[in-house]
């Protein structure tokens, strides 16, 4: 496994069935920050796998997924994320990739 990087993945999916499938897939790769925003610690291989799976689920002319690279997980990533209001529960578990 390569070094892990932190990614913020956000999505807009117009169809409820595809939305559910994207959300269920994302739960296997990271932790939800908001309903359609996830924080994922991924290797380069994991990122390629995530993109491949999501690309098969979404309709490319109707849906949108944004992936933001925040850098290596052991860096100062947490200092780059500001939250106002209720903070998401901290989850120290490793993501389960299926």
């Amino acid at each position: 496994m390569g070094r892990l990087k932190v990614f913020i993945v956000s999505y807009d999916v117009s169809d409820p069935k595809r939305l559910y499938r994207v959300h269920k897939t994302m739960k296997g790769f990271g932790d939800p920050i908001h309903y359609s925003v996830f924080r994922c610690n991924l290797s380069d291989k994991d990122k390629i796998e995530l993109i491949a799976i999501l690309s098969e689920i979404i309709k490319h002319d109707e849906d949108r997924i944004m992936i933001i690279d925040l850098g290596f997980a052991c860096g100062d990533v947490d200092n780059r994320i500001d939250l106002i209001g209720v903070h998401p529960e901290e989850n120290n578990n490793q993501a389960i990739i299926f």
Side-chain angles (χ1 to χ4, degrees), residues 1-5 7 9 25-26 28-30 40-54 67 94-98:
M1 176 186 274
R3 288 181 66 185
L4 298 179
K5 290 175 121 182
F7 295 92
V9 181
T25 298
M26 289 306 307
F29 282 88
C40 304
N41 296 341
L42 305 173
S43 67
D44 291 338
K45 180 182 172 194
D46 297 336
K47 181 184 174 193
I48 291 169
E49 182 179 0
L50 174 63
I51 290 171
I53 293 170
L54 293 175
I67 301 172
Q94 290 287 336
I96 299 169
I97 299 172
F98 52 94

Side-chain angles (χ1 to χ4, degrees), residues 83-95:
L83 296 168
I84 300 171
V86 178
H87 289 56
E89 291 182 27
E90 259 189 54
N91 185 352
N92 294 326
N93 297 335
Q94 290 287 336

Side-chain angles (χ1 to χ4, degrees), residues 21-67:
R21 288 183 63 203
V22 167
H23 187 77
K24 186 176 175 183
T25 298
M26 289 306 307
K27 287 171 71 176
F29 282 88
D31 299 315
I33 297 174
H34 296 283
Y35 184 73
S36 61
V37 180
F38 280 72
R39 175 185 170 151
C40 304
N41 296 341
L42 305 173
S43 67
D44 291 338
K45 180 182 172 194
D46 297 336
K47 181 184 174 193
I48 291 169
E49 182 179 0
L50 174 63
I51 290 171
I53 293 170
L54 293 175
S55 292
E56 290 181 11
I57 296 172
I58 68 168
K59 285 185 88 170
H60 291 261
D61 58 341
E62 295 181 18
D63 306 326
R64 175 181 14 207
I65 295 175
M66 179 173 62
I67 301 172

Side-chain angles (χ1 to χ4, degrees), residues 8 33-34 70 77-88:
I8 299 296
I33 297 174
H34 296 283
L70 293 179
V77 169
D78 289 326
N79 296 331
R80 296 183 197 157
I81 301 172
D82 293 321
L83 296 168
I84 300 171
V86 178
H87 289 56

